[in-house]
């Protein structure tokens, strides 16, 4: 049977449970949830990312709460003290996302469907990688997760850039799990690494390419010179769930493919 009254503190468990046909178990969701859109209409919104309406969650009488990362540790701790069972996942890689789908499915008694869905996600990534291998050139890519201060992309984003045919210019930063460790103390490092493409996803606010282009010295960057500044909407790339492995990576792949055709 598994848990029957689940609260999802982030979007990826909501999207996964809907994909598995297990949405009736969900009794509360994150206010940041946009996928699937029907979830916003059907389910009460009881949390942000770093805060939650503990009283509202307790009124829902959940038998399982799902969150993500150390950032939600305080929320998890308070719910645990109220006797609620909490699962905080902490996956940061593409393989971790696929494994997350399998584990979540198993927890709700839908292991077979979850494994089939995870396999489908993997096949989609393999197909994108196969197409990317045919490109004549691989661009250098700078992914910016926030602008003030500049924060580079997390691990699964860097991996998806590679799958899509590009090379993240800060692989050593991508390996760091915490955002504060991915802050660029010297934004001039982007100029020196000379990306061909700049992707921006400013964690819930609109990416402003004109502001990026106007940064001192950035006019020397190939991406700025050639107008290769693109927004990837944060809901499809900054949550470690199905969205990033489908719409997110496909959008990155399309941008890289177009750049490659222009650059031949």
């Amino acid at each position: 049977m598994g848990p029957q009254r689940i609260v999802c503190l982030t979007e990826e468990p909501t999207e996964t449970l809907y994909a598995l046909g297990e949405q009736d178990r969900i009794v509360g969701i994150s206010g940041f949830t946009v996928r699937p859109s029907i979830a916003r209409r059907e389910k009460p919104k009881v949390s942000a990312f770093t805060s939650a309406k503990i009283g509202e969650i307790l009124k829902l009488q959940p038998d399982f709460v799902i969150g993500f990362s150390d950032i939600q540790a305080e929320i998890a701790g308070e719910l645990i003290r109220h006797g609620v069972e909490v699962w905080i996942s902490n996956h940061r890689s593409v393989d971790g996302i696929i494994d997350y789908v399998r584990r979540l499915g198993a927890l709700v008694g839908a292991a077979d469907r979850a494994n089939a869905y995870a396999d489908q996600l993997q096949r989609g990534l393999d197909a994108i990688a196969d197409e990317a291998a045919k490109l004549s050139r691989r661009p250098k890519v700078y992914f910016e997760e926030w602008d003030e201060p500049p924060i580079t992309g997390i691990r699964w984003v860097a991996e998806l850039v590679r799958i899509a045919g590009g090379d993240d210019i800060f692989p050593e930063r991508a390996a760091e799990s915490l955002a504060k460790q991915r802050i660029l103390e010297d934004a001039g490092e982007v100029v020196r690494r000379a990306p061909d493409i700049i992707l921006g996803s400013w964690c819930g606010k609109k990416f402003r390419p004109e502001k990026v282009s106007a940064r001192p010295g950035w006019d020397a960057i190939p991406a700025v010179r050639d107008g290769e500044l693109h927004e990837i909407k944060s809901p499809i790339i900054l949550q470690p769930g199905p969205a990033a492995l489908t719409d997110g990576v496909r959008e990155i792949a399309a941008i890289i493919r177009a750049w490659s055709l222009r650059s031949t």
Side-chain angles (χ1 to χ4, degrees):
M1 288 285 288
Q4 300 299 303
R5 299 184 61 79
I6 298 174
V7 168
C8 301
L9 300 176
T10 54
E11 184 178 69
E12 64 276 1
T14 300
E15 185 175 10
T16 301
L17 289 169
Y18 269 84
L20 298 179
E22 297 292 340
Q23 62 270 20
D24 289 350
R25 297 172 187 264
I26 301 172
V27 296
I29 63 171
S30 162
F32 289 124
T33 302
V34 297
R35 293 170 63 101
S37 58
I38 193 172
R40 291 190 67 81
R41 301 192 296 273
E42 291 183 335
K43 309 295 182 180
K45 293 172 274 296
V46 293
S47 71
F49 192 50
T50 58
S51 62
K53 301 171 184 173
I54 300 297
E56 294 301 309
I57 292 174
L58 294 175
K59 283 180 192 173
L60 294 170
Q61 298 181 304
D63 54 6
F64 199 49
V65 172
I66 304 170
F68 174 71
S69 89
D70 52 292
I71 294 173
Q72 295 193 320
E74 287 188 24
I75 301 170
E78 192 162 350
L79 289 169
I80 290 166
R81 284 189 286 275
H82 281 90
V84 179
E85 186 171 344
V86 180
W87 177 38
I88 297 292
S89 62
N90 205 19
H91 54 290
R92 309 284 176 139
S93 66
V94 169
D95 285 348
I97 295 172
I98 289 175
D99 183 58
Y100 171 81
V101 169
R102 298 185 195 279
R103 286 187 292 152
L104 179 52
L107 283 167
V108 300
D112 289 346
R113 267 173 287 140
N115 286 330
Y117 183 45
D119 290 344
Q120 175 187 326
L121 292 171
Q122 184 63 61
R123 284 194 299 272
L125 294 174
D126 292 344
I128 288 171
D130 289 345
E131 284 300 308
K134 300 172 186 174
L135 300 177
S136 57
R137 292 181 60 202
R138 293 181 67 87
K140 292 188 290 182
V141 179
Y142 169 55
F143 186 98
E144 188 168 278
E145 193 176 299
W146 191 250
D147 60 329
E148 295 175 341
I151 299 177
T152 66
I154 199 165
R155 180 177 168 184
W156 71 79
V157 174
E159 291 176 349
L160 291 174
V161 166
R162 286 196 289 276
I163 288 168
D167 292 307
D168 176 66
I169 65 168
F170 288 107
E172 75 283 4
R173 299 271 187 174
E176 300 287 354
S177 62
L178 301 179
K180 65 182 180 182
Q181 295 167 323
R182 290 180 278 113
I183 293 172
L184 294 177
E185 299 81 5
D186 175 13
E189 189 60 31
V190 179
V191 180
R192 291 187 286 276
R193 298 196 186 195
D196 301 297
I197 296 171
I198 292 175
L199 303 176
S201 188
W202 287 352
C203 206
K205 70 175 181 178
K206 185 170 175 56
F207 176 62
R208 301 281 299 280
E210 71 279 4
K211 287 184 69 175
V212 175
S213 299
R215 292 172 184 168
W218 282 45
D219 55 346
I221 296 174
V224 174
R225 181 193 65 216
D226 299 336
E228 291 283 358
L229 294 90
H230 307 272
E231 180 175 30
I232 308 290
K233 299 286 188 184
S234 54
I236 65 168
I237 195 65
L238 293 185
Q239 55 107 333
L245 305 193
T246 53
D247 292 354
V249 69
R250 282 197 288 262
E251 216 164 282
I252 294 171
I255 291 166
I256 289 174
R257 192 180 311 115
W259 172 89
S260 180
L261 291 172
R262 284 193 293 271
S263 302
T264 50

